[in-house]
Structure formats: structure tokens, C-alpha cells
Amino acid sequence: MKKYIVTGFIAFALAGCGGGGGGTPLTSTPVNPTAPTTPAPTVTLAMSQPKITLGSSATLTWSSTNATSCTASGAWAGTQAISGTSAQTPTAAGSGTYTLTCTGAGGTANQSVSLIVPIPVQKSSYLNAKNLAITAQTLPVVDPTFNEGIQSGYAFADFFQDGSLSLVAFTEHDPLDGSWPPSVQGKVHFFKKDASGNWVDKTSGLLSDTSGCTLPRKLVIVDFNNDGLPDVFATCSGLDVAPYAGENYRLLLSQADGTYKNVLLPFSGYAHSASAADVNGDGNVDIVVADMKGQGGKTPIYFLMGDGKGGFTVDYSRADRPEFEYKTAFWTVELLQDDVTKKYTLFAGGTESYVDTSGAAAGGTGTVLISGDSTGNFVNGSKMILPVAKGFETVMDVVVQKNTAYILRVLSEPSYGGTAIQKVDLTSGTGSLIYSHTGWYPGKYLNFPAPWFAWMVPVNGNLVSENAFFNVTVPQ
């Protein structure tokens, strides 16, 4: 036993001294120590407010850490300091994305914020309809069985205040409804395009009462309650059969929470058109209506003077002149403002059923331009009778640019099977057709043959059918 103990002790001692056995020392330094890391950059970017009106500014504020340089992209551009502020004043409506990318020894980081600039409401319905730079649009199909269809009662504006155009549409009554008069009126719909460019019904987010018209005609877009948001006035005609009883007009009035109130106005008529502007300069928008039942048929063109809150007072005197007596069936009106004098001219057109040798409508006045004074009164203003286009004697729409009028016309009753565009020099008073189509258009729009289109818009030097189904483009 003693031998065993001594031997074990000697072996342990040798191992502890590292001799003979190549043992590992009892203490040692770490192997492959971890090197210090370089921190990655960080970016903080903020906009002072998410939405502004066109022409105003918002402030971008940013800061970064561990960065040596920063670069802007998206709605702004250029090299930026690693921290700072910048006033942003967008020059066009829309939704802009502002991105800041910062770089340092530890890598790259970025952050983005958005700024919305809603499309502003113009001062007249004519400008809101013709100055949107909108191309031809494929209208959504509300109901393929045609229980609801969009014909002429539609218009575009930034109803959702997101910087893009959306669509409001008053659908017609069901033409297949067996009851008479039809028991089902049309409804009101709001549409917005999705990321793929398809119209999506978003009515529930803006409107709870979707009551519409039996037969909607022109929709007028302007700000009636002075809150900077687009409102909608709908002309309605009621059933287009004798005795042409008409129906009440409707107003979609913007509310403080971004929704719309559907107001049934206390005015009714057999109305096919209207136009809106502040004609008397009191800061409130007024409406001129083409209503063949106006004052019992005595005054087919009259005004609804606005109070700036969505209320109106009828004024039959403001355009009470012989040209507007019930001789010509007036179907369309527009208020056109002179860029220099700021006074308004009233365009009125209808059906020029009979033509005399002078080119005017013998049975009535024909299509006219009446100048207004500084108070928006058209009784004593000068007039210009525009030339008649034989055959296409029913006026639907007008575009006026550079002292030239482009008048959209359809074939006179009873066929209505054709469309023409007349170009009129407002200096000389001469006119000619620059487009005509006789007969029905190919195919079917909403399961029915399509005889004519209601609205045209100027696009890049051309006149375009706003409804893309008709596929009409005419050089100006």
C-alpha cells in the first residue's frame, strides 16, 4: 500500500509540473477573442402633418445616428444633412412618399413618410368637369342584370380626400321593372379605384342614405357649403314620358366627419342639366338649371341662389329674357367665366327643331351665349346665336377653349341614333362638324344598344368620350 501511495503522488506531481507528459497548464488566456462591432445607422423621419391643401407646406424633420451621409428619394431628392428640417410644398395634388436613406460604417438604414394633397375643388362646376385632366374611363357595372345602371348621372372628384379621383354615380331606375311608374328608383354610389385600377364600391364609408332619382341627368360638382370639399347637385327629370311630371333634385353635402348627407331639395323639375358658380360674387355658389317645367314652363332656365350652407332660393328673374321662353327645348347649360373680366357667360342649348335661312332655329332661339354683368344678371347682356348643325340638332355638352366652342350634339328625335361634335369659332360665329357618327355604336352598353354618349372631356389636344365604351377621340 505504501508503494501505491508514493507512486501516485509522484505521477500527480510530474503532471502538475508539465514534465514528461506534455500536460495542459492550470491557467491560460482566451482563444480567438471577439472583436469590437461597428453599430448600424438609425433613421428617424417625421412629417408635421399627414395632409395639406395644395399650395401650403408641411415640415419634414429627421435625425440619424451612426451615419456619415443621407440621401432623399421619392417625393424629394438630393443629398441631405444627417439631421435637419425641410419645408415641403407640393406643386400637384396626390399622395407623395418621402424616403430618407442614411449610410455609415455599420451599413445603411432608411425610413419613409407620406403626405396627401387632396385634389382641390375648382370655383365652378364647368372647371371641375373639364379641367381634371382625366382620360376616358371604363365605368363600373353596378348590376349586370341592369337593375341598376350608370348612364349620364356620374361625375368625378376627390371624394375620399386622398389625392386621387373617385366616382359618384346616380343609377337609373330599373327599365325592366314591370310596374308603371317604376317602383324602384335608382341609387347613389361612390366608387374608388384599387391598386389594380379597378373601381370598387365604397359607398358605405361615405353615405348611409343611398336614395337616388327615377331618372338622373347631369351631376354638378362644386363646394356648396364653403368647407373646401366637393359636393354634388343632381338634376333629375322623373319619367321621360308625358306629362313629364319631373321629380325633386338631390344634394350630397359634405360633413365635418368626411361623410355625406343626402338632401332631398324642395325644388322639382323636368331638368336635364345644371351648372354652378358664384355668379353674384357673394362668396356662395349658385346654380343655373335647365328645367322645361320651370315656373310652369314659362322660365325653363332659372337660378337657385346659394346661401353658402347648402340652402338655396329660387330666382326666376336673373335669366328671364325672350330667348329663354318655352320655344326651344333647353337640355344643357354651362356657366363660363372670362379670365380677364371675371364675368360669367351663360351657354344654353337644346333641340333646334326648325331651322330658318339665317341659321337660327325658327321655332325658337337655338343655341346661345348670353353675357352676364358683375352681379350675375343675364337679363340685359348681349347674346350670340350659335350656328345650327342640321340633323344633329340636340345639344348635350360643350367645351370652350381659346375662343372656340366644341358642342356635343345628337341626332334629333325620334331616333337619337348618332353623335356629332361641332367646332364653332366664337369670333366669327362660323361652325363645322369635326366628328359625326350616324347610327348606333357597336356592341351593347349595359345590355342595351348605345345611341350616343353624354359627356366629352379635353385630353392632350383631343376631345374624348368620357365613357370609354364609345372609344371616341377627336383632334381639336
Side-chain angles (χ1 to χ4, degrees):
M1 176 178 287
K2 290 182 179 180
K3 184 179 179 180
Y4 171 77
I5 293 174
V6 172
T7 303
F9 175 78
I10 294 172
F12 178 78
L14 288 174
C17 294
T24 302
L26 291 178
T27 60
S28 65
T29 59
V31 179
N32 297 325
T34 302
T37 59
T38 303
T42 64
V43 178
T44 301
L45 181 66
M47 188 73 73
S48 59
Q49 55 196 102
K51 184 184 298 186
I52 60 174
T53 59
L54 186 62
S56 59
S57 300
T59 301
L60 267 177
T61 302
W62 71 94
S63 62
S64 61
T65 61
N66 307 316
T68 56
S69 64
C70 294
T71 303
S73 60
W76 63 329
T79 301
Q80 305 295 331
I82 59 175
S83 65
T85 62
S86 176
Q88 298 297 316
T89 308
T91 58
S95 178
T97 299
Y98 297 77
T99 300
L100 185 67
T101 302
C102 294
T103 302
T108 299
N110 63 70
Q111 188 173 359
S112 298
V113 293
S114 296
L115 180 63
I116 294 174
V117 182
I119 299 172
V121 185
Q122 301 292 325
K123 58 187 176 182
S124 73
S125 61
Y126 174 81
L127 294 178
N128 283 314
K130 305 304 181 185
N131 284 20
L132 291 177
I134 189 171
T135 58
Q137 295 290 308
T138 300
L139 301 181
V141 176
V142 182
D143 188 334
T145 64
F146 203 59
N147 289 324
E148 285 191 85
I150 302 172
Q151 293 282 1
S152 59
Y154 65 91
F156 301 91
D158 189 357
F159 297 108
F160 293 88
Q161 293 293 284
D162 61 359
S164 66
L165 286 176
S166 41
L167 169 69
V168 61
F170 278 62
T171 61
E172 296 191 358
H173 70 88
D174 182 359
L176 305 181
D177 185 353
S179 60
W180 196 259
S183 59
V184 180
Q185 286 185 314
K187 295 180 180 179
V188 184
H189 295 267
F190 283 98
F191 295 90
K192 179 176 170 51
K193 284 189 175 180
D194 61 16
S196 300
N198 301 310
W199 290 113
V200 179
D201 195 321
K202 296 289 186 178
T203 310
S204 61
L206 295 186
L207 189 68
S208 57
D209 179 3
T210 61
S211 304
C213 307
T214 297
L215 197 56
R217 299 295 188 174
K218 185 177 180 180
L219 303 189
V220 171
I221 306 295
V222 78
D223 178 12
F224 290 111
N225 58 357
N226 294 321
D227 64 355
L229 304 177
D231 302 310
V232 185
F233 174 80
T235 56
C236 307
S237 64
L239 293 176
D240 205 3
V241 295
Y244 308 106
E247 62 180 313
N248 288 70
Y249 312 139
R250 286 191 176 270
L251 180 68
L252 304 182
L253 197 64
S254 56
Q255 304 296 296
D257 62 359
T259 63
Y260 280 83
K261 182 180 181 180
N262 190 336
V263 181
L264 185 65
L265 294 173
F267 313 107
S268 66
Y270 181 60
H272 284 61
S273 181
S275 186
D278 177 14
V279 296
N280 62 354
D282 67 351
N284 302 321
V285 174
D286 315 299
I287 306 171
V288 61
V289 184
D291 167 23
M292 297 311 301
K293 303 290 286 188
Q295 203 174 195
K298 178 181 180 298
T299 314
I301 294 180
Y302 57 88
F303 278 80
L304 302 175
M305 304 305 292
D307 64 2
K309 301 176 182 179
F312 303 91
T313 302
V314 179
D315 187 341
Y316 290 113
S317 66
R318 195 168 289 269
D320 186 11
R321 45 188 298 156
E323 293 84 1
F324 295 150
E325 292 179 0
Y326 192 13
K327 297 177 181 178
T328 300
F330 288 100
W331 304 127
T332 187
V333 287
E334 284 292 358
L335 290 167
L336 309 166
Q337 189 177 38
D338 186 278
D339 291 335
V340 177
T341 67
K342 303 303 179 183
K343 297 177 183 178
Y344 282 93
T345 296
L346 175 61
F347 172 93
T351 299
E352 306 153 341
S353 299
Y354 304 100
V355 181
D356 64 19
T357 56
S358 70
T365 301
T367 302
V368 296
L369 285 168
I370 306 291
S371 60
D373 61 21
S374 59
T375 66
N377 194 301
F378 298 86
V379 172
N380 299 315
S382 61
K383 70 178 178 181
M384 179 179 184
I385 299 178
L386 303 183
V388 172
K390 289 188 177 182
F392 299 94
E393 294 163 359
T394 298
V395 174
M396 299 296 296
D397 194 15
V398 66
V399 171
V400 177
Q401 291 182 333
K402 297 180 180 179
N403 214 33
T404 302
Y406 301 90
I407 302 173
L408 180 66
R409 296 170 170 271
V410 300
L411 279 176
S412 301
E413 295 185 71
S415 67
Y416 287 120
T419 310
I421 298 176
Q422 179 191 32
K423 181 177 181 179
V424 179
D425 185 325
L426 297 180
T427 301
S428 65
T430 59
S432 61
L433 295 185
I434 59 174
Y435 168 81
S436 65
H437 175 89
T438 302
W440 299 73
Y441 284 85
K444 293 183 177 181
Y445 176 64
L446 296 176
N447 299 324
F448 288 87
W452 46 267
F453 56 92
W455 316 119
M456 61 181 177
V457 289
V459 180
N460 298 327
N462 298 308
L463 294 170
V464 177
S465 56
E466 195 169 51
N467 186 340
F469 169 84
F470 296 92
N471 193 30
V472 173
T473 299
V474 181
Q476 292 177 256

